[in-house]
Amino acid sequence: MKSKPDELKQKMDCFRAALQRRGVKATPQRALIFQEVAGLENHPDAVTIYKAVREKLPMVSLDTVYRNLWLLQDLGLIRILGARDRVRFDGNMKAHHHFVCKACGLMCDFYSSAFDRLKIPSAVKSLGAGEIIQVEIKGICVACSKKSKIKPAKISR
Ligand SMILES: [Zn+2]
Ligand SMILES: [Zn+2]
């Protein structure tokens, strides 16, 4: 799943503007790392991004990729999903929610104005300052449910 070319161009313009505002240099590897996260809509982890970037820039290190990913998230250009040890990166900064497949781990964006209107429950206040609400729906994706379609067993009497 790839973003539409004009959407990606728009994201790259945002990228250049955000870096310029903060006085951070838009190095080719930084641009490429951002492009991978913004262009892939499957919420890649750092190793997947690293492998994709390495195809174009063989000299890049995993460490550099990590450092740039944290920088991009500090600049508000990408979002981090999940815990730090098994982190994935989201290049979609529009309000959206996720469908997660329990079988293959696929994570897809979906949009719902009803979910966007949800309010942070007061129970969250004791845990910390809530910023955004992102709903995660877990289930089995279309591809996986096709794969595991078992014919119902005939009941013989
Ligand atoms: Zn699946
Ligand atoms: Zn997402």
Side-chain angles (χ1 to χ4, degrees), residues 78 90 108 110-111 117:
I78 62 171
D90 196 343
C108 275
F110 70 89
Y111 299 90
R117 284 195 297 270

Side-chain angles (χ1 to χ4, degrees), residues 22-134:
R22 295 276 291 266
V24 179
K25 257 182 102 182
T27 60
Q29 64 182 18
R30 204 160 273 160
L32 201 56
I33 290 165
F34 175 68
Q35 202 181 317
E36 287 303 328
V37 185
L40 294 166
E41 288 185 343
N42 56 356
H43 310 84
D45 60 18
V47 174
T48 307
I49 298 162
Y50 166 60
K51 282 181 186 156
V53 172
R54 202 176 49 180
E55 273 176 31
K56 289 157 199 157
L57 288 175
M59 301 298 280
V60 79
S61 71
L62 181 59
D63 194 54
T64 304
V65 171
Y66 265 115
R67 261 188 289 116
N68 278 289
L69 288 169
W70 301 134
L71 172 79
L72 292 172
Q73 100 107 16
D74 283 345
L75 293 170
L77 289 164
I78 62 171
R79 246 177 224 155
I80 288 173
L81 308 168
R84 281 230 163 191
D85 56 335
R86 218 179 143 264
V87 83
R88 295 172 82 160
F89 299 89
D90 196 343
N92 184 358
M93 296 303 282
K94 281 181 251 170
H96 71 279
H97 308 278
H98 291 132
F99 176 85
V100 181
C101 175
K102 291 195 291 182
C104 69
L106 167 97
M107 186 186 261
C108 275
D109 293 345
F110 70 89
Y111 299 90
S112 158
S113 51
F115 284 170
D116 291 346
R117 284 195 297 270
L118 290 173
K119 296 266 183 301
I120 295 175
S122 56
V124 173
K125 280 199 186 114
S126 63
L127 303 171
E131 284 171 6
I132 61 159
I133 295 183
Q134 206 160 27

